[in-house]
Amino acid sequence: MTKIIRILALVVAITSAGTLAAQTSINGGISALGIKSGDQDTKTYLGFYAGLTQNMKLSDHTGFAFSIYYNQFSGDVKTTVLGANHHSEYFENNINPSLAFNYRFILTEKSCIYLFLGPEANVVLSAKRDNWVDGIDLHNKTNLLNQDEAGNALLRRFNLSGIGGIGAKIDFLNITLGAAIPIFSRYENNASGEKIARVFLGVGLVF
């Protein structure tokens, strides 16, 4: 994690010094978080993201982009067991800085299609779950960033993901479609068996 922070700091320093041709964009859009634990069905939570990207041109076709985004997900997944409706409400928000290499296919002087791939740091700000059953006034609320008595299966605050996707720059408009998958287990207890992926679709303005 320390090495990642140093790399991101170096990118910011290079950008500030203006030693590379840089282009800034403001982006935002919709996203979905899919969580699968063990043999359970995948639970999908919808959300949004917003933030900044600064792309530094290395050549006509290549570059790398430093981005920092805020992501939020929430939702109530309902399942029926023995005729009773069980609810699993989840809320998570985080900050995601990333450094991605990109390759551009030039269409016109101001338009291109590009592919991007790189590492993304995950900083979880909050993650909470609330489980209950219809007709029973009893909620099982869990703050996943707090340790329980056994110290098991609670989220790490920091993690690392791989992020990749495709984008299109059309004059001042930027469109992106991508996905991010954690490289390491998100839980302190690696035996949790959780699998997770985030997909996103957004638009932005290029300056």
Side-chain angles (χ1 to χ4, degrees):
M1 184 62 71
T2 302
K3 291 183 179 179
I4 295 173
I5 294 174
R6 289 177 179 175
I7 292 173
L8 296 180
L10 177 61
V11 172
V12 173
I14 292 175
T15 304
S16 300
T19 56
L20 293 174
Q23 199 166 46
T24 302
S25 61
I26 300 176
N27 302 282
I30 59 175
S31 54
L33 185 69
I35 300 177
K36 182 176 177 60
S37 298
D39 295 330
Q40 298 179 9
D41 293 335
T42 301
K43 297 177 180 178
T44 303
Y45 303 95
L46 300 180
F48 68 91
Y49 73 96
L52 296 171
T53 293
Q54 185 145 34
N55 185 63
M56 281 153 286
K57 184 178 178 181
L58 299 177
S59 70
D60 288 340
H61 295 280
T62 62
F64 63 91
F66 169 71
S67 304
I68 184 164
Y69 285 90
Y70 170 79
N71 279 275
Q72 183 181 113
F73 306 93
S74 62
D76 177 16
V77 175
K78 184 174 67 174
T79 57
T80 302
V81 180
L82 298 177
N85 292 325
H86 292 245
H87 296 262
S88 179
E89 188 175 58
Y90 184 71
F91 173 84
E92 178 182 328
N93 64 344
N94 48 61
I95 297 293
N96 302 110
S98 66
L99 182 62
F101 174 81
N102 55 74
Y103 186 88
R104 296 183 294 276
F105 301 90
I106 306 300
L107 301 178
T108 68
E109 182 180 354
K110 294 185 178 181
S111 300
C112 67
I113 295 174
Y114 61 92
L115 303 176
F116 60 93
L117 180 69
E120 176 188 79
N122 312 129
V123 183
V124 181
L125 303 178
S126 65
K128 299 178 181 179
R129 180 176 289 121
D130 184 9
N131 295 320
W132 75 95
V133 178
D134 282 349
I136 301 177
D137 190 18
L138 179 63
H139 288 245
N140 181 16
K141 296 183 179 181
T142 305
N143 183 341
L144 298 179
L145 293 179
N146 289 341
Q147 292 288 338
D148 62 9
E149 293 181 358
N152 294 324
L154 298 179
L155 286 182
R156 302 177 191 271
R157 187 176 290 274
F158 303 101
N159 206 337
L160 186 67
S161 294
I163 188 171
I166 186 171
K169 178 182 175 295
I170 306 171
D171 199 353
F172 62 87
L173 183 67
N174 185 54
I175 303 171
T176 53
L177 173 65
I181 300 176
I183 296 174
F184 307 105
S185 171
R186 299 205 316 158
Y187 282 85
E188 295 289 351
N189 176 9
N190 291 333
S192 65
E194 181 193 74
K195 296 180 181 179
I196 186 170
R198 184 180 88 246
V199 296
F200 55 90
L201 173 64
V203 296
L205 299 177
V206 181
F207 299 94

